[in-house]
C-alpha cells in the first residue's frame, strides 16, 4: 500500500512510542474516538508513524486499543519531559543542573501517583536508583546543549489541534515553543533516545514538520526553526528551517496517509510490515507474519475486550 509518505526508519524504541502524550486536554481520549472499534477522526505524529511503520501496529493501537504498559525507556522519557517542563516554572537564575536533578524523585512520585501503571513499573529500590540515575544523565545532556536561564518559552507541553481543508484533524503535544519579539517561532522537541543516523534524519523531522504545519494552519505563521534535542551522551541538536513548500508537501503526505488509513478501516485490511522493530513489538504474538492469529476486528461503537486507551490516537 503506497501512500507517498516518508519511510519510518529503524530508530531507538524510546523515540517510537509517546504513550499518553497524544491525548486531548484533560486526558480525553486522543483521535476523537471513544471505545474500541470506533473509527478515528484525527491523527497525531505518533499514530501517523505507526501506520507508516506497520499498518497492523496502527490497528492494534488505534482500532483494537490493546493495552501497552509503559517500559522503563518510555517512563524515563516521560520523567525527563516532566522535569524539563517544570524547570521553567523556576525563576531564571534557579534553572540549574542541581535544581533539575532535585526535581527527579519528587516528579517521579507525582507521576506515579497519577498513573498506577507507572507506579507498578519499578518497585525495587535498586532498580529505582538506576532509573533515576539514567534520567539524571539525560538531564546532564540537556544542559550541555543549552542554558535554560537564558530562555523564556512561549509555550510548554502545548496541546495543538488544527483541521485541514480536507477535513482531517491534526493534533498532539509540542514540548516547547520559543518566540522572538519579532514573532518568529522555534519548535523544540526533547528526545531521550539515540541520535538517528544521517540517512534517517528526514524521518526524525517528520514529527516536527507535522507540528509546523499545525501551527501554520492555526496561526498563519510558518515556524522559523525546528529543533530536535537528543539528550543522550554528549547530546546533539538537529535543526531544520521549513518553508511553505515543505509544509504543503507534508500536508499532501498526511492527506494521502489518511486516505490509506480510511481504506484500511473500511476493508479491515491492516497488513503487517515486518521490519527491525518487530523484536520490540508488544503485539508480535498476534501478528500473522510471525505465526500469530489476529483477533477479530472490534465492532464499531462497542467496548471491545481491550477497552479504551486514551492518548493512543
Amino acid at each position: 500500500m503506497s501512500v507517498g509518505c516518508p519511510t519510518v526508519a529503524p530508530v531507538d524504541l524510546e523515540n517510537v512510542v509517546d504513550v499518553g502524550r497524544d491525548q486531548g486536554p484533560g486526558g480525553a481520549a486522543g483521535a476523537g474516538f471513544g471505545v474500541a472499534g470506533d473509527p478515528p477522526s484525527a491523527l497525531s505524529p505518533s499514530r501517523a508513524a505507526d501506520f507508516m511503520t506497520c499498518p497492523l501496529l496502527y490497528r492494534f493501537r488505534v482500532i483494537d486499543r490493546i493495552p501497552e504498559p509503559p517500559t522503563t525507556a518510555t517512563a524515563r522519557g516521560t520523567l525527563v519531559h516532566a522535569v524539563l517542563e517544570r524547570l521553567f516554572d523556576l525563576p531564571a537564575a534557579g534553572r540549574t543542573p542541581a535544581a533539575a536533578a532535585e526535581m527527579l524523585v519528587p516528579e517521579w512520585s507525582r507521576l506515579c501517583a497519577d498513573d498506577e501503571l507507572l507506579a507498578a513499573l519499578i518497585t525495587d529500590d535498586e532498580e529505582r536508583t538506576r532509573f533515576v540515575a539514567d534520567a539524571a544523565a539525560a538531564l546532564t545532556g540537556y544542559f550541555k546543549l543549552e542554558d535554560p536561564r537564558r530562555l523564556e518559552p512561549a509555550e510548554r507541553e502545548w496541546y495543538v489541534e488544527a483541521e485541514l481543508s480536507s477535513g482531517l484533524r491534526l493534533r498532539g503535544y509540542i514540548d516547547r515553543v520559543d518566540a522572538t519579539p519579532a514573532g518568529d517561532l522555534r519548535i523544540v522537541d526533547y528526545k531521550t533516545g539515540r541520535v538517528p543516523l544521517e540517512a534517517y534524519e528526514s524521518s526524525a523531522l517528520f514529527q516536527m514538520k507535522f507540528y509546523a504545519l499545525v501551527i501554520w494552519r492555526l496561526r498563519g505563521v510558518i515556524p522559523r526553526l525546528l529543533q530536535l534535542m537528543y539528550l543522550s551522551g554528549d547530546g546533539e541538536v538537529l535543526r531544520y528551517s521549513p518553508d511553505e513548500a515543505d509544509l504543503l508537501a507534508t500536508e499532501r503526505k498526511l492527506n494521502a496517509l489518511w486516505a490509506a488509513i480510511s481504506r484500511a478501516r473500511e476493508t479491515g485490511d491492516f497488513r503487517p510490515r515486518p521490519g527491525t522493530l518487530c523484536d520490540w513489538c508488544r503485539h508480535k504474538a498476534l501478528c500473522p507474519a510471525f505465526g500469530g492469529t489476529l483477533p477479530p476486528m472490534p465492532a464499531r461503537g462497542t467496548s471491545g475486550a481491550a477497552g479504551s486507551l486514551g492518548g493512543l490516537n
Side-chain angles (χ1 to χ4, degrees):
M1 181 183 299
S2 175
V3 297
C5 291
T7 299
V8 174
V11 292
D12 185 71
L13 194 63
E14 242 173 299
N15 294 334
V16 174
V17 184
D18 260 338
V19 177
R21 298 188 66 248
D22 292 330
Q23 61 193 27
F33 62 91
V35 294
D38 283 348
S41 59
L43 194 62
S44 73
S46 297
R47 301 297 73 85
D50 284 346
F51 193 86
M52 290 187 289
T53 300
C54 175
L56 185 57
L57 175 63
Y58 177 94
R59 180 200 144 169
F60 286 148
R61 287 180 169 160
V62 176
I63 307 300
D64 296 279
R65 306 282 193 101
I66 299 175
E68 292 185 45
T71 67
T72 53
T74 59
R76 179 180 65 168
T78 298
L79 176 57
V80 170
H81 277 81
V83 169
L84 290 176
E85 179 189 5
R86 291 178 180 264
L87 183 66
F88 287 98
D89 289 335
L90 298 176
R95 299 170 194 161
T96 63
E102 289 175 2
M103 290 182 180
L104 282 169
V105 173
E107 197 61 23
W108 178 243
S109 296
R110 182 189 68 81
L111 291 168
C112 288
D114 293 338
D115 188 332
E116 61 182 21
L117 292 178
L118 281 179
L121 179 64
I122 302 172
T123 57
D124 178 79
D125 288 342
E126 185 176 342
E127 185 180 3
R128 186 180 297 108
T129 297
R130 289 195 300 268
F131 173 76
V132 172
D134 287 343
L139 290 174
T140 298
Y142 167 76
F143 280 95
K144 291 178 180 179
L145 299 176
E146 68 180 9
D147 185 350
R149 296 173 298 180
R150 302 177 62 183
L151 297 167
E152 292 297 339
E155 303 284 354
R156 287 173 285 150
E157 289 295 318
W158 184 29
Y159 176 77
V160 292
E161 182 173 330
E163 185 172 313
L164 303 181
S165 59
S166 63
L168 171 59
R169 284 189 295 126
L170 308 179
R171 62 172 16 159
Y173 279 92
I174 300 176
D175 289 348
R176 197 179 88 209
V177 176
D178 301 329
T180 68
D184 292 331
L185 300 179
R186 174 173 64 180
I187 300 176
V188 179
D189 191 74
Y190 309 119
K191 297 294 186 186
T192 52
R194 297 192 299 261
V195 179
L197 298 175
E198 185 176 353
Y200 301 139
E201 285 184 356
S202 61
S203 296
L205 282 169
F206 172 74
Q207 172 189 8
M208 303 299 279
K209 291 182 180 181
F210 182 108
Y211 286 137
L213 173 61
V214 172
I215 290 177
W216 185 32
R217 292 309 182 206
L218 277 176
R219 296 191 171 182
V221 175
I222 294 177
R224 178 63 64 88
L225 187 65
L226 312 179
Q227 181 168 297
L228 278 163
M229 301 184 71
Y230 290 90
L231 310 184
S232 62
D234 291 332
E236 187 171 324
V237 179
L238 177 60
R239 298 182 177 90
Y240 185 81
S241 295
D243 57 24
E244 183 172 325
D246 281 326
L247 301 191
L248 288 174
T250 299
E251 185 170 33
R252 289 192 297 271
K253 290 173 182 177
L254 287 169
N255 280 324
L257 176 63
W258 188 250
I261 290 172
S262 298
R263 287 194 297 271
R265 184 63 185 91
E266 289 303 316
T267 63
D269 185 11
F270 289 90
R271 298 184 184 184
R273 187 175 296 151
T276 56
L277 292 178
C278 291
D279 288 341
W280 291 275
C281 182
R282 306 290 191 89
H283 313 297
K284 190 174 181 179
L286 297 174
C287 181
F290 296 94
T293 301
L294 281 175
M297 183 81 80
R300 295 188 183 187
T302 60
S303 60
S308 173
L309 269 189
L312 291 183
N313 48 310

